[in-house]
Amino acid sequence: MGSFVAVAWVLFLNVVVVCNGGKTSTFVRKAEKTVDMPLHSDVFVSPTGYNAPQQVHITQGDHVGKAIIVSWVTMDEPGKSMVHYWTDKSSHKNVAEGKFVTYRYFNYSSGFIHHCTLRNLEYNTKYYYEVGIGHTTRQFWFVTPPQVGPDVPYTFGLMGDLGQTFDSNKTLSHYEMNPRKGQTVLFVGDLSYADDCPYHDNARWDTWGRFVERSAAYQPWIWTTGNHELDFAPELGETKPFKPFTHRYRVPYKASQSTAPFWYSIKRASAYIIVLSSYSAYGKYTPQYEWLEAELPKVDRTETPWLIVLMHSPWYNSYDYHYMEGETMRVMFEPWFVKYKVDVVFAGHVHAYERSERVSNVAYKLVNGQCNPVKDLSAPVYITIGDGGNIEGLANNMTEPQPEYSAYREASFGHGILHIKNRTHAHYSWNRNDDGYAVEADSMWFFNRHYHPLDDSANDKFRN
Ligand SMILES: [Fe+2]
């Protein structure tokens, strides 16, 4: 019986393999332009009560997962930047003190934006927390990750370019309803798309914060900056890039010796996650370059076998949109990604989905003319997942023919799940919004580049 199941499983895998490689999906999805949800939509409703905390969200607050940064906004008055928190095993309330900031953007004045770090948390523990102390309080909860280690299973959700349209809501709902439960979101940039509104209407940063609270208050979202976080508008007198983002969203960049909140790293369970900034300088001698050069040798794959990089602008993108925008960063950093055997790179920016084979393009010298991506088992898989569903619509024009390195591409909105099983295997899947919650439109088994660096290409043609 056991061998029959094994044979059936192999046959099933073969069918998936044959169907999966080098494919441009012919899936037909709606063509209408997507629109922002109106301001009175239920997902944007402010909580009731005087000075009630809103836009509550959390992210990892240190390098190893024993701290959480809690952020929220109060509108009527500053109130307290204090968080009460306790475990499900004890009702003793711990207290942490934070701070609040405000900012102005053109004719917009922000609410009071609070950030408070909870430190020295126990691993693998459910914590309840309460904000709004002194006025209207609201309670939420989160679960800390297991202690960092090579065989710790963990499940990450992947979303990017989300915005706040009806499609964005569908993407988030599908992520929440996916039977493979994500424990932390890796967000690849472009959050609110407030800058697509007249005068970069920052009230749309507030609505976005209220929209994602239902997930982001309960599990950490790991932030990457995209071009829509720049909010650079000299015509409005706004010349400091990333102003709304940096006031509203905090990341633990100092814990990884970074000098700016746009590039940093965290460890979580069995993963080492490096976040890069497509919109900060990365040329030789720049702070980001020097940081990454010093950072990569620090990754101990025997502790965290899975090396994951997040960035906004993809290096390998065969859509017409944003074509080759990632090229200059690729030229600078790709040799390092191959040298240090990055497992997977997730990017956004292109409002569609694409997964590459393991390829590199590092042989090129100005004088040798070798400029084609080639199969490279030390190279990462590149996944573009900028298909969150924002107001700018789908990227549905592709370069033709589909390049050989492109394993699967499809212009649909959706989200991804990366489920790390152990030090050798991780299962990755992509779900399109047009299907049911449990349907995997694209998937692959990742073989870890340190512990199991075999060919994990799903495409028979590419494998040989
Ligand atoms: Fe973008």
Side-chain angles (χ1 to χ4, degrees), residues 161 188-190 193 225-229 279 312-314 322 325 348-351 390 392:
D161 304 67
V188 293
D190 283 0
Y193 287 75
T225 45
N227 51 307
H228 287 278
E229 279 64 72
Y279 306 100
H312 187 62
S313 188
H322 305 305
E325 281 182 24
H349 202 35
V350 179
H351 301 158
N390 65 72
E392 295 177 354

Side-chain angles (χ1 to χ4, degrees), residues 195-328:
D195 60 345
D196 276 349
C197 300
Y199 310 113
H200 293 225
D201 183 2
N202 273 224
R204 279 289 181 178
W205 274 105
D206 290 314
T207 53
W208 195 81
R210 296 200 288 272
F211 160 48
V212 300
E213 181 191 88
R214 70 185 200 235
S215 170
Y218 296 94
Q219 59 174 252
W221 285 39
I222 306 304
W223 301 112
T224 310
T225 45
N227 51 307
H228 287 278
E229 279 64 72
L230 282 164
D231 281 304
F232 175 69
E235 72 280 13
L236 304 178
E238 295 296 346
T239 55
K240 191 168 170 28
F242 301 112
K243 189 190 202 179
F245 174 82
T246 50
H247 283 82
R248 291 169 182 273
Y249 294 90
R250 289 289 154 91
V251 300
Y253 67 97
K254 288 178 185 163
S256 55
Q257 290 76 52
S258 168
T259 50
F262 314 115
W263 57 89
Y264 63 99
S265 69
I266 58 163
K267 299 179 198 175
R268 199 162 180 89
S270 47
Y272 200 103
I273 296 156
I274 292 179
V275 177
L276 296 179
S277 174
S278 302
Y279 306 100
S280 305
Y282 44 74
K284 201 164 180 178
Y285 316 117
T286 61
Q288 183 169 207
Y289 180 101
E290 303 230 321
W291 177 82
L292 185 60
E293 185 177 37
E295 173 71 7
L296 283 164
K298 292 180 191 168
V299 182
D300 176 0
R301 301 295 278 274
T302 65
E303 185 194 36
T304 50
W306 295 94
L307 179 52
I308 299 167
V309 176
L310 312 181
M311 62 178 66
H312 187 62
S313 188
W315 294 355
Y316 286 92
N317 158 40
S318 72
Y319 287 81
D320 282 341
Y321 300 84
H322 305 305
Y323 188 60
M324 290 185 75
E325 281 182 24
E327 188 66 4
T328 48

Side-chain angles (χ1 to χ4, degrees), residues 21 46 59 109-110 119-120 132 145 202 268-269 276 311 329 362 407 411 427 437:
S46 296
T59 195
S109 296
S110 76
R119 297 186 188 280
N120 300 315
N202 273 224
R268 199 162 180 89
L276 296 179
M311 62 178 66
M329 188 193 250
V362 294
H427 184 265
Y437 304 125

